[in-house]
């Protein structure tokens, strides 16, 4: 039986069972794509990162949701490197990571904060059908139309439709229609929709966000690293601040009882950072390469 060490690591938090849980398989070499997909489905978190050897970088990663492989995942990148650091497999400093979108830099500080350099930003403001967006997100039309900032398509490796909202109350009360959100995202060739407001829970937070990615099997993501990078690039592009702060803090997940905080730098490059903590560490065993067999977790 093929056994692999498998972890659940909560990213963008230092509190177990908060933030965004990622599966981490620190030794993914030799696993087939079908096995990786089966493991990700068994773990049933939004993404699982499989760490592999690389001839282009310090290591390589593949990301799987419970239903498909994806090109990039911020929280699983933060989670996997936080685990490797805590486990003693890597030290602080800069590490290179080969991803499906290219080689990126990962910086780990001595106190365990992991910073992920994002891909080159792409931001394009768009005129949206406010009624359609409001209906899909279950928001009052005025919660979108009364915001001076425009909606936009933004990407730093994964594309999101970014929608600014007036206040926390309507954003928190929203109960989006997954099919309508998936169709809306598809219309803009985006992975999902990120709605945000500058009205926050914590006084030191820059904004509060909610991220919906039903097209990838994730009705709502608790705390989203790649989307945070895209939104930071958006804020920089639309001149949302008179003077862009040295570091931003995005809060997310409170309305899913998984609060987390993403640190973001948006100057010469876009960097997303945060802490992570392990909530589950064990072995997963299953037949070496049987797509239709059940994988059994072992504590």
């Amino acid at each position: 039986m093929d056994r692999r060490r498998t972890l659940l690591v909560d990213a963008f938090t230092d509190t177990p069972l908060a933030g965004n849980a990622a599966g981490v398989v620190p030794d993914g070499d030799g696993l087939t794509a079908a096995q990786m997909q089966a493991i990700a489905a068994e773990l049933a978190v939004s993404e699982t990162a499989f760490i592999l050897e690389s001839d282009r970088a310090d290591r390589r990663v593949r990301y799987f949701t419970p239903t498909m492989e994806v090109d990039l995942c911020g929280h699983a990148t933060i989670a996997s490197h936080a685990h490797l650091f805590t486990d003693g497999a890597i030290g602080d400093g800069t590490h290179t990571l080969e991803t499906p979108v290219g080689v990126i830099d990962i910086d780990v500080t001595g106190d365990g904060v992991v910073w992920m350099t994002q891909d080159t930003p792409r931001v394009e403001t768009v005129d949206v059908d406010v009624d359609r967006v409001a209906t899909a997100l279950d928001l009052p039309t005025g919660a979108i139309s009364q915001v001076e900032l425009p909606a936009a398509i933004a990407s730093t490796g994964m594309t999101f439709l970014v929608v600014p909202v007036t206040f926390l109350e309507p954003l928190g009360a929203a109960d989006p229609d997954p099919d309508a959100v998936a169709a809306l995202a598809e219309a803009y060739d985006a992975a999902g929709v990120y709605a945000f407001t500058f009205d926050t829970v914590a006084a030191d937070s820059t904004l509060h966000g909610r991220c919906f990615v039903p097209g990838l099997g994730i009705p709502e993501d608790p705390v989203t690293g790649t989307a945070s990078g895209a939104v930071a690039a958006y804020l920089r592009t639309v001149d949302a601040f008179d003077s862009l702060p040295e570091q931003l803090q995005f809060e997310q997940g409170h309305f899913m009882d998984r609060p987390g905080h993403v640190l973001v730098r948006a100057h010469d490059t876009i960097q997303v950072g945060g802490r992570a903590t392990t909530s589950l560490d064990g072995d997963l065993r299953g037949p070496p390469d049987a797509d239709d067999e059940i994988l059994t977790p072992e504590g």
Side-chain angles (χ1 to χ4, degrees):
M1 305 291 275
D2 189 19
R3 303 167 64 97
R4 299 289 169 138
R5 186 182 183 190
T6 306
L7 305 97
L8 289 178
V9 182
D10 298 319
F12 301 121
T13 182
D14 53 12
T15 303
L17 306 185
N20 198 352
V24 176
V25 178
D27 177 16
D29 287 309
L31 291 173
T32 66
Q35 287 176 305
M36 293 181 190
Q37 185 63 78
I39 291 171
E42 181 72 9
L43 293 178
V45 291
S46 57
E47 279 93 3
T48 295
F50 295 83
I51 304 301
L52 310 161
E53 292 184 352
S54 171
D55 57 8
R56 298 179 55 206
D58 293 328
R59 53 197 54 83
R60 182 165 71 95
V61 65
R62 294 178 71 175
Y63 308 99
F64 286 80
T65 76
T67 59
M68 68 182 72
E69 185 171 8
V70 295
D71 288 343
L72 192 65
C73 176
H75 86 277
T77 302
I78 299 295
S80 57
H81 282 75
H83 160 69
L84 293 172
F85 176 74
T86 302
D87 210 42
I90 63 174
D92 57 2
T94 301
H95 306 269
T96 54
L97 180 67
E98 180 186 351
T99 77
V101 299
V103 176
I104 61 175
D105 288 338
I106 309 294
D107 294 303
V108 184
T109 66
D111 60 352
V113 176
V114 180
W115 287 93
M116 173 185 177
T117 299
Q118 305 283 280
D119 200 4
T120 302
R122 179 178 65 86
V123 179
E124 177 186 352
T125 60
V126 293
D127 291 324
V128 295
D129 181 336
V130 172
D131 288 335
R132 179 184 182 184
V133 174
T135 299
L137 295 179
D138 186 34
L139 288 167
T141 302
I144 300 172
S145 64
Q146 293 173 15
V147 181
E148 293 184 1
L149 292 175
I153 299 298
S155 172
T156 52
M158 184 174 285
T159 304
F160 293 88
L161 174 63
V162 180
V163 179
V165 176
T166 51
F167 298 110
L168 186 61
E169 183 177 359
L171 181 60
D175 183 16
D177 178 338
D179 291 337
V181 172
L184 179 64
E186 184 178 5
Y188 289 94
D189 198 23
V193 179
Y194 187 102
F196 78 91
T197 176
F198 292 119
D199 186 20
T200 60
V201 174
D204 58 349
S205 291
T206 306
L207 59 78
H208 188 101
R210 294 183 67 184
C211 188
F212 311 101
V213 199
L216 296 182
I218 308 166
E220 181 170 2
D221 203 31
V223 194
T224 318
T226 50
S228 296
V231 172
Y234 158 85
L235 294 175
R236 184 179 68 182
T237 299
V238 300
D239 294 324
F241 304 102
D242 293 334
S243 178
L244 187 66
E246 182 66 27
Q247 181 170 292
L248 309 172
Q249 177 174 283
F250 297 174
E251 61 180 36
Q252 193 182 336
H254 296 66
F255 296 100
M256 301 180 71
D257 292 325
R258 293 197 66 102
H261 297 86
V262 184
L263 304 176
V264 190
R265 297 170 179 161
H267 292 276
D268 294 337
T269 59
I270 305 293
Q271 290 183 301
V272 169
R275 300 182 180 276
T277 185
T278 298
S279 58
L280 179 67
D281 185 349
D283 290 333
L284 203 63
R285 64 187 178 95
D289 189 15
D291 298 353
D292 57 351
E293 296 286 349
I294 297 175
L295 292 163
T296 305
E298 292 190 343

